Amino acid sequence: MTATTATPGDLSVWDRVRGYSPSSRHLPVLATLALFVGMFGAGGIRYEGFADPQVVLTLFVDNAFLIVLAVGMTFVILTGGIDLSVGSVVALSTMIAASTLEAGWPPAAAMAAVLLAGTALGTLMGLVIHYFDIQPFIATLAGMFLARGLCYLISVDSIPIRDDTFFAIAAHQFTLPGGYFITPTVLVALAAVALAAYVLHRTRFGRTVYAIGGSESSAMLMGLRVARTKVGVYAISGFCAALAGLLFSLYTLSGYSLHALGMELDAIAAVVIGGTLLTGGRGLVVGSMLGVLVLGTIQTFISFDGTLSSWWTKIVIGSLVLVFVVIQRVMTRRQP
Amino acid sequence: MRKVLAHQLVWPTTALAVLLLVNVIATPTFFDIRMQDGHLYGSLIDILRNGAPVLLVALGMTLVIATRGIDLSVGAVAAISGAVACVYIAGSPEQGAASTAIVACSIALAVCVGLGLWNGFLVSVLGIQPIIATLVLMTAGRGLAMLVTDGQITTVNNDAFKRIGAGFVLTVPLSIVIALGVFCLAALVTRRTALGMLIESVGINPEASRLAGVRSRTIIWTVYVFGAFCAGVAGLMIASNTSAADANSAGLWIELDAILAVVIGGTSLAGGRFSLSGMLVGALFITTLATTIPTIGIPAETNYLFKAVVVIVVCLIQSPKARAALWVRRTAPLAGRATA
Amino acid sequence: MTQMETQPAAIAPGRVEPHPVIEMRDITIAFGGVRALDGVGLRLFPGEVHALMGENGAGKSTLIKALTGVYSIDSGSILIDGEEHTFSTPAAAQGAGISTVYQEVNLVPNLTVAENMLLGREPRKLGRIDVRAMNRRAQETLDRLGLDISPTSVLGEHPIAVQQLVAIARAVDVEARVLILDEPTSSLDADEVEKLFEVMRSLRDHGVAIVFVSHFLDQIYEISDRMTILRNGTLVGERMVAETTQLELVKLMIGRELEVLERIDREVAATEAIKSGQPVMKALGLSRKGALQAVDLELYEGEVIGLAGLLGSGRTELARLLFGADTADAGELQVGSKTRRLRSPRHAIDRRIAFSSENRRSEGVIEDLTVADNMLLALQASRGWLRPIPRAERSRLVSKYIETLDIRPANPQALMRNLSGGNQQKVLLARWLITQPRILILDEPTRGIDIGAKAQIQQVVADLARDGMSVVFISSELEEVLRLSDRLVVMRDRRKIDERPNQDVSVSDVLEIIAGSARAEEATRA
């Protein structure tokens, strides 16, 4: 750096680099990335076969639904809200898919029904939150109960999925050069991340999401479409939960009321570990994806080790959430 | 003042009465209480007994919510409490002795107080949002409980310990006595000392309270410790009922039931004024609901559906905006009277 | 009493524009039965700067919010270009070319300057936001206003004054026909105000109608053409600025009430006592980074110190340090004979210091508790929760202060939120008097309350000082400070710039001290 003779052009590039990475905006995501890479490096040194690229790809395969779920949750948390219903909506989605398929619906119709139901439920919660001024926590708690209750209304027992299309999608693998493979679900998850990043950063809706998280009253006075956006993020979260439910049903090939118990906590944890501020306004959807990968890596770690018990997953996740929340707290405190 | 009281308690009490009525219609013997071997039995007693853990957890939750907080970790804390007690008893040389049970419970409750101190530290000292601060323990807590029990369901054989959840004192189930005892103690402490007023003042306006010299930090810390203590007692009850510690399912979702009980009882999630008697009615309502549904022939699992309806209705009743939107026409003359 | 002129006050000379761009007629708005506005009108012509005048609580903000669709009006009409219009949302008002900049910066701190300027109307290409074009457009607007702010920097990293200028830049970018500036200058320094005025003049010359709200009379006289004066929610009059002297204006704003205040004036002056002995409180080089530069201060028994200075001059910051509401970075504070470090309000209360904040709602009242609980809060807090105040003692204290301070309704069980501002302020005063303080710090105790309560509070302060209490009194109204205080401390730019006994000091003297220091500073800088 010091060796280069600074021409004005260089300076402006350097300035742009500096201007581009204000620590407060991207540092948390970089920290998550570093954590992910570090964990993987440590695993590669410790366990044989851990550093294999297929392990990374498998992380995506196994956690595709959680990535989609975390994407939806990111929207909600960016506005300063929270959505507790997503786990139940995942379960409800598997139930709707399984039962409609059992009833002989064509697979496309079943998928449409699932996505429609999730989006409708999300929209409903958004409307209640915005127009009746009810805290997101409690409104989505009601949504959580409602979705679980509807599951039981459909069936108390697990329903297997025997549809050929679902089977075909579930079994399909894309082979990558080098003998590695991914599944269609991974593509869906990555598409969701890319689309969400686009919407958040390149559309007015997305910028309004950030503005509401920064200050809802200001956003209102600035004449932004607060109502539409607030309802919109819950609709998106509901849609993402339904989509995640579809991916989950492809993963398990069954519908069951007790699927995805507590999965909303995983999604929230992933978003937090991904560096999104829980008070809203700050965070990147890519961070949430990295957060999911970190959660997945913990599980991979434990399964590679063999001597560690499964409950360490929860303890480590809890500790990571703690670390990130405390760091966020210290950082926001320093802001003027 | 009468108007406020009426407003807070009339709704939940009416709802509870309706539920009980439904039960009586479905099973005419619902209110019957019979004496057997010197112990009281009957549906009402069952409801009270099943409701004891929720009541305890909701008690702590009421005070936490009154300070603008929330404690999501109570279920995990209950699991840890049961796990610690059972593991201690199982590992003790005199497994059946009453002294072992007492020591076990004391250790378990001490651990819970420690966990409450931890939550309180995160919220009041580090200033982390309560929902997130307690989420940490909610996630990690079940892992810790499993760490304690080594992932096994630890069964114990100790009569003294069994009595906490399944025993009787003077014909009444001990768990009811404990729950009501703690309830009365809390009611007495909050309303006879200035604790209740200071909790409310911190919950309504933390900054104004600080400037008035209120030790907000100590008060917030106190309520989280009390909340964890109550959860610990509830955890002991749950473990004692089955003489076993199940780290996975003990106290699962109890935090949500407790929050529900608090909200039904008329305490706002935004903090401030709280009502312990309202919470009591709320807790009874939830346990009665759980009993009623199978009684009237609906599958027990649909309980969730009813809870969802209850949450929505309660929220709509409490939300001023919703009230204005839904009842503006019908209560127009009423509103006129209220302002007069 | 002044009547509203039926004939429109002549339009500024040289501009022939007979049709108002906005005309508000007979606007009435009530909140919970209390009329915040009662039949108020406002006419706004293109190419004028129109000052909206009135004391706190006169209804200026309510009128603005009625115009911009934040509040809905109960009766009356709003005409835009002669046609009736009512906006249901701020967005609708903005759509019609009415932009507002509020006193508190209403932007989002987590986004960049450019995003804040263009949120909701970002330049788009094929449906996606064109970031380059957005930054370019923001840069152009900032350049046009002569503001040296990077459009890609995050807003929250700038000081409040800069954020305020960004808010104005946002309003300017809308191509507004009507620009409403609601106390935009309260956090700006002289240079920044001058910059703002340049912007305002250029906009006016382009035909924009500007509504300007400010508490600084000099600013009003420097920039405005016409003004509308409100008092207690009613319209007092519409005047040409050039034809109205400052004295007339103040009389219109304060009105009959001036006489009531003058009566107290004499009583206070008569009770002035001689101070002597040891100071009860002594600050040496007390300072806090970003809030206050080193200040020395001595406070004697039975003395009222008036802290004069504009908003943001450091007067509130000093008060907060004296009470331990904020902690000082450097300096010493002696209370009695000992040096203390006040780490928290509790420490201060234990040393018998009391502080009533300027933000009554956010830092004073506990709205959902009763009057009695609010009164007893500080005493109870210092006793600790284990030692409740005995019932008899409670009711004795509460009824005593309800009576002496004439609090209405005289019901100890009334909820605090149902009291008027003046009565809430009296309850807060009672809260502190119950703790029997030796030092009472009052920050804007009379802001936004009705005149009767104002006079009563001033009377109480005078009586307390006579009985030996030491008082630090802060108010934006210099007349009030001069009326009450024995000694005057003048603050500016977060420093103490002057201290003198309050003998034959007039409002204009104080203003001169504040302004003079500015001139002196410019001289040293040059």
Side-chain angles (χ1 to χ4, degrees):
Chain A
M1 203 69 247
T2 47
T4 46
T5 43
T7 66
D10 279 346
L11 257 179
S12 78
V13 169
W14 174 233
D15 277 349
R16 217 185 298 160
V17 169
R18 267 198 317 194
Y20 179 72
S21 56
S23 53
S24 56
R25 267 188 154 184
H26 295 130
L27 201 64
V29 176
L30 292 177
T32 314
L33 183 64
L35 178 69
F36 176 60
V37 172
M39 281 172 78
F40 236 88
I45 291 163
R46 244 189 113 167
Y47 310 113
E48 210 172 307
F50 197 97
D52 193 278
Q54 186 58 49
V55 174
V56 182
L57 294 177
T58 309
L59 271 183
F60 277 96
V61 172
D62 289 345
N63 293 295
F65 57 90
L66 195 53
I67 291 177
V68 174
L69 210 56
V71 164
M73 186 67 81
T74 310
F75 275 86
V76 173
I77 290 183
L78 278 175
T79 62
I82 200 148
D83 189 349
L84 295 182
S85 72
V86 291
S88 302
V89 173
V90 166
L92 178 62
S93 301
T94 66
M95 285 304 272
I96 294 177
S99 62
T100 50
L101 288 173
E102 200 181 37
W105 290 32
M111 288 182 188
V114 166
L115 296 178
L116 208 65
T119 314
L121 190 65
T123 311
L124 197 67
M125 289 187 297
L127 289 171
V128 168
I129 289 166
H130 184 76
Y131 287 102
F132 292 152
D133 212 6
I134 286 171
Q135 290 192 1
F137 177 83
I138 200 80
T140 57
L141 181 67
M144 171 184 181
F145 285 137
L146 186 69
R148 282 276 173 217
L150 289 173
C151 284
Y152 288 114
L153 214 57
I154 294 171
S155 167
V156 178
D157 303 313
S158 170
I159 308 173
I161 293 177
R162 297 201 185 81
D163 180 77
D164 290 337
T165 317
F166 270 62
F167 262 80
I169 300 172
H172 193 271
Q173 290 182 348
F174 297 107
T175 314
L176 302 178
Y180 305 118
F181 72 91
I182 52 170
T183 57
T185 54
V186 176
L187 296 184
V188 173
L190 290 177
V193 172
L195 190 65
Y198 174 81
V199 168
L200 280 176
H201 295 280
R202 287 289 180 272
T203 66
R204 288 188 181 168
F205 175 84
R207 299 326 287 168
T208 309
V209 168
Y210 279 91
I212 293 175
S215 165
E216 190 175 332
S217 59
S218 290
M220 192 92 85
L221 288 171
M222 284 164 102
L224 303 181
R225 300 182 169 205
V226 173
R228 208 180 65 164
T229 308
K230 260 177 88 183
V231 176
V233 293
Y234 288 95
I236 287 175
S237 178
F239 174 83
C240 284
L243 185 60
L246 277 181
L247 301 185
F248 195 73
S249 61
L250 285 170
Y251 191 68
T252 59
L253 286 173
S254 69
Y256 188 31
S257 312
L258 290 176
H259 272 331
L261 272 181
M263 198 184 274
E264 57 278 350
L265 295 186
D266 288 338
I268 296 170
V271 174
V272 174
I273 292 174
T276 299
L277 208 59
L278 275 154
T279 43
R282 226 169 259 182
L284 299 173
V285 76
V286 177
S288 303
M289 186 185 78
L290 288 172
V292 172
L293 294 183
V294 167
L295 297 191
T297 312
I298 297 167
Q299 265 158 352
T300 313
F301 235 93
I302 283 161
S303 64
F304 262 82
D305 189 277
T307 59
L308 289 170
S309 311
S310 63
W311 49 81
W312 282 104
T313 318
K314 287 183 175 175
I315 298 177
V316 174
I317 293 175
S319 315
L320 278 181
V321 169
L322 174 71
V323 168
F324 271 79
V325 166
V326 170
I327 290 174
Q328 281 181 2
R329 181 69 201 146
V330 172
M331 276 182 36
T332 45
R333 220 177 237 186
R334 254 193 240 139
Q335 297 275 317
Chain B
M1 205 60 225
R2 235 184 315 151
K3 210 171 62 197
V4 174
L5 261 183
H7 202 81
Q8 268 187 357
L9 278 179
V10 160
W11 282 93
T13 323
T14 316
L16 182 61
V18 168
L19 262 190
L20 291 173
L21 200 68
V22 169
N23 273 298
V24 175
I25 295 168
T27 21
T29 57
F30 185 75
F31 281 131
D32 292 1
I33 292 174
R34 62 187 192 285
M35 186 77 97
Q36 198 178 318
D37 307 331
H39 300 158
L40 290 176
Y41 286 99
S43 303
L44 285 182
I45 300 292
D46 283 346
I47 287 175
L48 285 175
R49 202 162 78 173
N50 296 337
V54 175
L55 174 61
L56 275 172
V57 173
L59 187 58
M61 191 71 80
T62 310
L63 300 188
V64 171
I65 287 178
T67 62
R68 282 194 180 183
I70 200 151
D71 190 349
L72 296 180
S73 72
V74 283
V77 171
I80 292 174
S81 164
V84 168
C86 287
V87 166
Y88 178 84
I89 294 173
S92 144
E94 292 172 80
Q95 222 201 89
S99 60
T100 312
I102 292 169
V103 175
C105 293
S106 310
I107 295 175
L109 291 179
V111 169
C112 291
V113 167
L115 294 173
L117 284 170
W118 164 255
N119 279 336
F121 170 77
L122 291 183
V123 174
S124 69
V125 180
L126 295 189
I128 297 171
Q129 281 172 287
I131 191 171
I132 295 318
T134 55
L135 182 74
V136 170
L137 194 54
M138 184 191 190
T139 316
R142 296 232 167 245
L144 289 174
M146 283 202 257
L147 187 67
V148 171
T149 59
D150 211 20
Q152 312 290 316
I153 293 180
T154 312
T155 49
V156 293
N157 191 4
N158 183 311
D159 285 340
F161 185 66
K162 198 174 168 56
R163 285 192 64 183
I164 299 173
F168 288 83
V169 58
L170 296 173
T171 77
V172 183
L174 183 60
S175 54
I176 299 177
V177 175
I178 293 177
L180 290 181
V182 178
F183 177 85
C184 292
L185 193 72
L188 207 68
V189 169
T190 50
R191 293 307 179 197
R192 288 290 152 187
T193 71
L195 185 63
M197 190 254 267
L198 294 181
I199 285 175
E200 286 179 342
S201 117
V202 169
I204 297 165
N205 191 337
E207 182 57 15
S209 304
R210 185 182 83 94
L211 289 178
V214 178
R215 292 176 202 261
S216 317
R217 191 174 280 188
T218 320
I219 288 191
I220 290 174
W221 220 326
T222 311
V223 296
Y224 280 94
V225 169
F226 180 68
F229 174 82
C230 288
V233 177
L236 290 178
M237 251 177 218
I238 294 166
S240 145
N241 227 337
T242 54
S243 282
D246 181 350
N248 251 326
S249 61
L252 197 63
W253 306 131
I254 201 170
E255 58 274 346
L256 299 183
D257 280 346
I259 293 168
L260 209 51
V262 175
V263 172
I264 293 173
T267 302
S268 159
L269 275 180
R273 303 300 289 249
F274 65 90
S275 158
L276 288 182
S277 42
M279 180 278 293
L280 180 65
V281 176
L284 290 179
F285 178 84
I286 288 175
T287 27
T288 313
L289 184 69
T291 320
T292 310
I293 287 163
T295 313
I296 57 175
I298 302 174
E301 288 82 2
T302 46
N303 197 352
Y304 285 115
L305 218 51
F306 285 91
K307 277 186 191 166
V309 173
V310 169
V311 176
I312 292 166
V313 169
V314 167
C315 282
L316 292 187
I317 289 174
Q318 285 184 358
S319 153
K321 249 182 161 175
R323 265 211 305 266
L326 294 177
W327 287 300
V328 72
R329 266 176 234 104
R330 248 190 300 158
T331 55
L334 256 172
R337 203 177 54 195
T339 48
Chain C
M1 215 47 294
T2 334
Q3 297 293 315
M4 182 197 166
E5 272 110 311
T6 44
Q7 195 59 35
I11 299 143
R15 280 184 211 101
V16 190
E17 189 67 61
H19 299 297
V21 56
I22 284 177
E23 186 168 4
M24 300 175 81
R25 285 183 191 158
D26 273 336
I27 304 292
T28 298
I29 293 182
F31 298 114
V34 180
R35 285 195 170 180
L37 286 180
D38 194 354
V40 173
L42 174 74
R43 298 180 315 137
L44 204 56
F45 293 92
E48 71 164 345
V49 175
H50 190 108
L52 190 54
M53 302 300 299
E55 286 196 295
N56 280 307
K60 297 174 308 235
S61 295
T62 315
L63 188 65
I64 288 173
K65 287 184 172 166
L67 176 58
T68 55
V70 177
Y71 295 152
S72 55
I73 52 177
D74 294 335
S75 71
S77 58
I78 300 174
L79 301 158
I80 314 274
D81 291 330
E83 279 177 45
E84 193 154 331
H85 253 283
T86 313
F87 303 115
S88 51
T89 62
Q94 242 173 54
I98 302 174
S99 278
T100 315
V101 176
Y102 296 94
Q103 181 181 11
E104 324 84 60
V105 180
N106 279 297
L107 296 176
V108 282
N110 55 323
L111 297 181
T112 67
V113 169
E115 284 176 316
N116 268 295
M117 286 171 60
L118 292 162
L119 262 178
R121 49 172 189 275
E122 300 92 342
R124 288 189 290 189
K125 221 179 350 187
L126 300 171
R128 65 191 280 264
I129 294 173
D130 186 346
V131 177
R132 273 166 190 270
M134 180 175 74
N135 288 338
R136 203 167 47 231
R137 188 165 138 194
Q139 185 71 64
E140 282 163 11
T141 309
L142 291 170
D143 286 346
R144 188 150 53 91
L145 301 184
L147 301 175
D148 183 25
I149 305 168
S150 163
T152 53
S153 55
V154 175
L155 184 80
E157 288 166 1
H158 291 293
I160 295 293
V162 175
Q163 296 189 22
Q164 187 67 269
L165 289 170
V166 172
I168 290 163
R170 173 183 170 84
V172 167
D173 185 86
V174 189
E175 302 293 335
R177 292 194 302 154
V178 176
L179 179 61
I180 301 170
L181 302 172
D182 188 356
E183 292 198 49
T185 53
S186 53
S187 56
L188 304 189
D189 69 23
D191 290 347
E192 289 161 337
V193 169
E194 205 37 62
K195 187 157 282 171
L196 170 67
F197 282 0
E198 276 169 33
V199 173
M200 283 169 70
R201 285 190 194 103
S202 108
L203 289 169
R204 177 186 64 191
D205 295 342
H206 284 89
V208 177
I210 300 175
V211 177
F212 183 55
V213 180
S214 170
H215 281 300
F216 304 116
L217 293 185
D218 289 345
Q219 293 180 0
I220 297 291
Y221 275 82
E222 185 182 341
I223 192 82
S224 321
D225 304 313
R226 267 175 354 113
M227 54 193 174
T228 293
I229 302 131
L230 304 181
R231 191 200 314 148
N232 288 335
T234 57
L235 181 67
V236 178
E238 195 188 64
R239 295 292 168 92
M240 296 299 300
V241 174
E243 294 162 7
T244 316
T245 66
Q246 293 212 13
L247 192 64
E248 279 173 320
L249 174 60
V250 171
K251 276 186 179 162
L252 286 174
M253 285 163 64
I254 300 178
R256 198 159 37 94
E257 298 143 3
L258 205 59
E259 296 159 27
V260 182
L261 296 179
E262 269 163 4
R263 218 177 307 136
I264 301 167
D265 191 14
R266 283 189 291 275
E267 286 170 40
V268 175
T271 61
E272 197 177 311
I274 300 155
K275 328 290 173 195
S276 62
Q278 279 286 86
V280 290
M281 185 187 240
K282 189 174 173 185
L284 278 174
L286 207 60
S287 74
R288 179 179 161 89
K289 200 165 167 255
L292 190 71
Q293 295 178 29
V295 165
D296 298 339
L297 191 73
E298 284 181 356
L299 181 63
Y300 293 90
E301 194 178 311
E303 177 188 46
V304 180
I305 286 192
L307 285 189
L310 304 177
L311 205 68
S313 62
R315 50 179 208 206
T316 295
E317 289 77 0
L318 175 58
R320 290 179 68 91
L321 289 187
L322 292 178
F323 182 64
D326 297 323
T327 47
D329 296 334
E332 269 184 17
L333 191 63
Q334 286 178 18
V335 183
S337 53
K338 290 194 189 117
T339 304
R340 310 279 185 183
R341 247 198 100 215
L342 296 177
R343 284 191 304 273
S344 71
R346 274 204 63 81
H347 276 88
I349 294 164
D350 290 346
R351 313 281 171 271
R352 296 180 59 195
I353 305 171
F355 168 65
S356 171
S357 162
E358 61 174 337
N359 300 313
R360 188 170 58 233
R361 280 199 58 198
S362 61
E363 296 178 351
V365 301
I366 314 283
E367 286 193 321
D368 286 334
L369 288 186
T370 61
V371 167
D373 283 344
N374 266 286
M375 268 192 199
L376 297 166
L377 185 63
L379 179 62
Q380 185 61 66
S382 70
R383 290 169 66 109
W385 62 267
L386 270 172
R387 293 197 303 134
I389 304 163
R391 205 164 273 240
E393 178 73 358
R394 278 176 67 99
S395 51
R396 188 187 67 78
L397 283 170
V398 171
S399 45
K400 173 182 160 195
Y401 281 99
I402 285 182
E403 197 177 326
T404 44
L405 295 179
D406 188 29
I407 291 168
R408 288 179 203 172
N411 171 11
Q413 297 309 317
L415 282 189
M416 194 68 164
R417 64 161 67 248
N418 296 333
L419 267 63
S420 71
N423 281 303
Q424 287 184 347
Q425 193 65 52
K426 288 188 210 163
V427 172
L428 294 182
L429 195 57
R431 174 191 290 172
W432 292 114
L433 297 184
I434 284 174
T435 64
Q436 299 183 323
R438 280 164 50 202
I439 300 165
L440 180 62
I441 305 168
L442 298 172
D443 192 355
E444 294 267 26
T446 60
R447 179 197 277 181
I449 67 178
D450 65 88
I451 192 67
K454 192 178 271 189
Q456 282 170 328
I457 287 177
Q458 291 179 5
Q459 188 64 59
V460 169
V461 170
D463 292 346
L464 289 169
R466 192 182 46 217
D467 296 344
M469 197 182 289
S470 310
V471 181
V472 176
F473 188 88
I474 301 176
S475 172
S476 290
E477 293 172 39
L478 291 176
E479 296 85 352
E480 191 177 54
V481 175
L482 290 175
R483 198 175 303 130
L484 278 175
S485 47
D486 302 307
R487 207 143 46 89
L488 202 64
V489 169
V490 185
M491 308 281 300
R492 193 195 132 91
D493 296 337
R494 311 196 180 285
R495 282 187 297 122
K496 180 171 114 178
I497 55 169
D498 194 84
E499 181 178 337
R500 61 180 63 189
N502 183 14
Q503 279 161 355
D504 303 324
V505 184
S506 70
V507 171
S508 58
D509 292 341
V510 179
L511 286 171
E512 217 155 273
I513 295 171
I514 296 171
S517 141
R519 254 175 259 136
E521 209 164 89
E522 269 162 34
T524 51
R525 227 185 273 162

